[in-house]
Amino acid sequence: MRPPELDVTFVLHHLDCSATEDAADGDEPYMWHLGFKVDAETLGPPPSGSLVPSLNVRVIEGPPHFRHVVGASHVHSSPNPGPAIAPNLGTRTMRLKPAFIPLMGWFPGIAGTICLLWDEDGFAPSTSEAAFTKFKAVFGPALTGELNRLVAGDYDNELAKDINGNVVPDGPEGRSLKWRFARLADAGGRKHAIDAITANVKNIISGPVEDAAVDAAGWDELLDPDDLLGVSAQVYTGNELSGTKNYSLTFTDDDANYTARGQVTAFPVHRAILDSVVSGIERHPDRAVGLWRRVCWGPEKLYWAEAFRVTTSLRYELRTLLGEAPTEIRWFIDNLPLPAGDSLQTVTFDPTSKHFGAPLDALSVFFTGGPSQLKCRVTGNVLEVSNQGGDGVFYGQVRALYGFAGDPSLFPPPATPINELFTLGYDRSADLDIVAVSLEMNDEYHQDVAQCARKIKDIDLKHIPPNFGKLIIDPGDHPDWRTALADRYALATLVANVTGVDMPSGLTPGLRTPQRQRLAPR
């Protein structure tokens, strides 16, 4: 199944300060905060000699915002939580769309945020703005280059480390492309790789950003330039994003120590469920067999086991709960694809002996299962199924495979293996249970069994002494295994008498195969 398309939101909500760069007067911190993503919308053509698309970065600036955390005020070190970060400054949102890459499968996408924390000194707002504009222009290409270096293997040594810095063994395929993306999804491998990438990106962009600031600044501003307190980033792959996660960014340059606390939330863009309902049941008597049985301590009586032919109609609907409706839907019964419109599909029914126990097994010899047909009608997001006869019980699964605009086609070449087909789209499934023959005992039998159960319950209540916690019971020695086996057989015989089940010689009590609950109503 393909990974979901996600709406992702990064929120930095508080800036804690353990140490300031200016110990005497405190700092005037401001942030350059960008989001970024790599997904189906940003992938470029493969470079020469490669089948893997190039990883291009899209930068998300966010809404207009004031970049100072506390305005014209100062921040001082404190053990208490720091000032709140304004929503427009701290929030970056993006839609992450997975990409299907031939020979590799689904690329879930990469979503992240990068933040530069500054202490305002002598720069005018226009100078800082000129430097920020340059930062936005050079950050995307710089990160694009480093991510493609990661794909090429330049960061394999960092990816191979766990969270404690220990090198983990390579996979069976060695340090392949799949291994790199798997390690990128690992918290340890991702941390070391992102730390190295962040350091390299910082080195790449520092020169152009400083040049832009120098070009825009007056000579008096250059006497006391703003100080960079650190660069920090947080990155996730699409497979890791679900619900809400906490994260933090740290800034420790120039003797400062700041931590920006944040949360990332991710929710599916599309959500659909597969509803199923029994739209009709038709029952027709087929045959009956008389059985002499003794229930409980009553006399032996004649009961009737009855067989009914059942035609069951079921309706399945793929219902959209969130987002637009699918543009393509394919229906399957188990792994059998269904064409649009009406069709007859041959399936194999189980014999009734597999699902109905004694005393109904007297009728099982007449209904031995085998091939039979299901009538199917596919109309867009609705599938209707009904059985056309059948000598038993069919348990299967209905599957709906669906996709949206821009997704891979759900009609690949006919030779595509079924397991690969199901990876191309979203997949929802529901049980398909059809009891074409229902075996039942008549009402008198069920009434006698219910009366017997009431008698046994009454006997138990009268003969089991109440214990209110004051009586200490000594269980004594463990009984001899022969005695235990005899007691077990006696108990099984009692149960057989209660339900009217025969206990033929040679059948070990207590080892009966559990029967699946009857689906057709009486």
Side-chain angles (χ1 to χ4, degrees), residues 165-373:
N166 302 313
V167 177
V168 300
D170 296 344
E173 301 177 0
R175 296 185 176 185
S176 63
L177 184 62
K178 284 188 176 181
W179 175 86
R180 291 181 188 114
F181 280 108
R183 293 303 302 162
L184 191 61
D186 176 79
R190 181 177 64 250
K191 175 185 181 301
H192 295 292
I194 294 304
D195 287 348
I197 289 175
T198 302
N200 288 339
V201 169
K202 178 182 176 183
N203 292 334
I204 294 170
I205 67 177
S206 293
V209 171
E210 290 175 0
D211 292 344
V214 170
D215 292 343
W219 65 268
D220 55 333
E221 297 177 57
L222 298 178
L223 297 176
D224 187 19
D226 293 358
D227 297 312
L228 179 61
L229 304 182
V231 180
S232 190
Q234 183 68 38
V235 178
Y236 296 97
T237 62
N239 286 338
E240 301 172 89
L241 291 170
S242 177
T244 300
K245 297 178 182 290
N246 295 321
Y247 71 96
S248 61
L249 305 178
T250 57
F251 311 92
T252 56
D253 291 358
D254 283 352
D255 298 323
N257 191 344
Y258 285 85
T259 300
R261 291 182 285 121
Q263 289 183 327
V264 57
T265 59
F267 298 100
V269 175
H270 308 291
R271 187 172 296 166
I273 60 173
L274 184 57
D275 288 332
S276 61
V277 63
V278 177
S279 57
I281 293 180
E282 297 180 9
R283 288 162 48 91
H284 304 284
D286 184 84
R287 68 186 65 209
V289 173
L291 302 172
W292 287 93
R293 289 292 186 272
R294 182 169 61 91
V295 173
C296 221
W297 299 277
E300 194 171 44
K301 294 174 60 176
L302 176 63
Y303 299 102
W304 290 93
E306 303 167 324
F308 295 86
R309 294 282 185 179
V310 183
T311 300
T312 304
S313 300
L314 301 103
R315 185 179 190 273
Y316 297 85
E317 179 181 1
L318 184 67
R319 186 160 55 90
T320 301
L321 300 180
L322 185 65
E324 66 269 20
T327 55
E328 276 190 325
I329 303 175
R330 293 193 68 179
W331 291 94
F332 299 80
I333 292 180
D334 293 333
N335 290 331
L336 183 67
L338 304 179
D342 294 333
S343 63
L344 292 175
Q345 304 297 329
T346 301
V347 298
T348 301
F349 280 71
D350 291 337
T352 55
S353 59
K354 188 175 179 179
H355 303 278
F356 295 92
L360 294 170
D361 52 2
L363 285 169
S364 296
V365 295
F366 302 107
F367 308 102
T368 57
S372 188
Q373 289 186 323

Side-chain angles (χ1 to χ4, degrees), residues 136 148 260 311 343 482 496 505 518:
K136 291 187 294 182
N148 284 291
T311 300
S343 63
R482 294 180 179 82
S505 60
R518 183 175 63 246

